[in-house]
Amino acid sequence: MVDTTNLIPNTPRYLKVPLIAFNTILWVLGLVLVIIGSIGVSFFSNFKDFTKVSKASAALSNLTTGAPAGVLVIGIFFVILTVIGCFVAGKEKLVGLVIYTMLMLIILVALIGVGGKALTLHNDDVVKQIGNAWEDVSNGPKNSTILKLENFLKCCYWNSTSSRNPLLCPKDSKGIPKYTDTCDSVISSKISSNLYLVGAAAVSIGVIEFICMLFALFLIIRICRAPRTKSYDYQ
Ligand SMILES: *[C@@H]1O[C@H](CO)[C@@H](O)[C@H](O)[C@H]1NC(C)=O
Ligand SMILES: *[C@@H]1O[C@H](CO)[C@@H](O)[C@H](O)[C@H]1NC(C)=O
Ligand SMILES: *[C@@H]1O[C@H](CO)[C@@H](O)[C@H](O)[C@H]1NC(C)=O
């Protein structure tokens, strides 16, 4: 068997400092997720009535409510966990480090699940799903929700080939359409940039998180191999 003892630095500082540095980076990335998640939650809150009256309500609600809320929750979790990580690393708390490493592992698994879904969830699919709901709500009795959405998004009609009910396009007092963009392009541009940001943040977080777990594991082994003395505790 290979003796790994010498592979781990003898000075805990060499493990602590990178661990704290990586946790700081993760904290910033967590904050990015919190910000994008919040933007998504507030943007899609305007879709609530529209989602409720659409036929594909459950699927759409997963997309417009579940997805941004999920990003927000994971972000908040990261912001908290990384602060704890810096603390337990700095103080070399053995139990804290073990709990921190386990929580990181759980989040990594969750992140891989979410990331896998995000990778298969293309911008076009999201837009198409909203588009289908848009058409059926436009032709239904609750079509006023469409007008509300159009005023929020500043757009008129879904796309160039969608149904053209003149009542469903916001007009000014002279009867001229207020907006020239179609709604699919407005939604598409709003979603795609944020989807890329979330994807990039998630991939970076996954990689850095893995490195963090290695350093935390090494630090745990180091602490266990060299039992702390009293003087060390009060260093
Ligand atoms: C929406 O999410 C719930 C819970 O995650 C899930 O059970 C359901 O199958 C999803 N619905 C659709 C249509 O994707
Ligand atoms: C317009 O939107 C509908 C509904 O999503 C879609 O089926 C159709 O292909 C779109 N047309 C164009 C030109 O994008
Ligand atoms: C829109 O809804 C109103 C009632 O709210 C209804 O009278 C009208 O026919 C609807 N328009 C279409 C195109 O279904």
Side-chain angles (χ1 to χ4, degrees), residues 227-235:
R228 290 183 293 181
T229 61
K230 266 243 154 17
S231 67
Y232 188 71
D233 264 340
Y234 293 104
Q235 200 177 4

Side-chain angles (χ1 to χ4, degrees), residues 128 131-132 135 158-161 184:
K128 193 159 206 152
N132 292 338
E135 290 297 283
W158 177 248
N159 63 18
S160 55
T161 59
D184 68 334

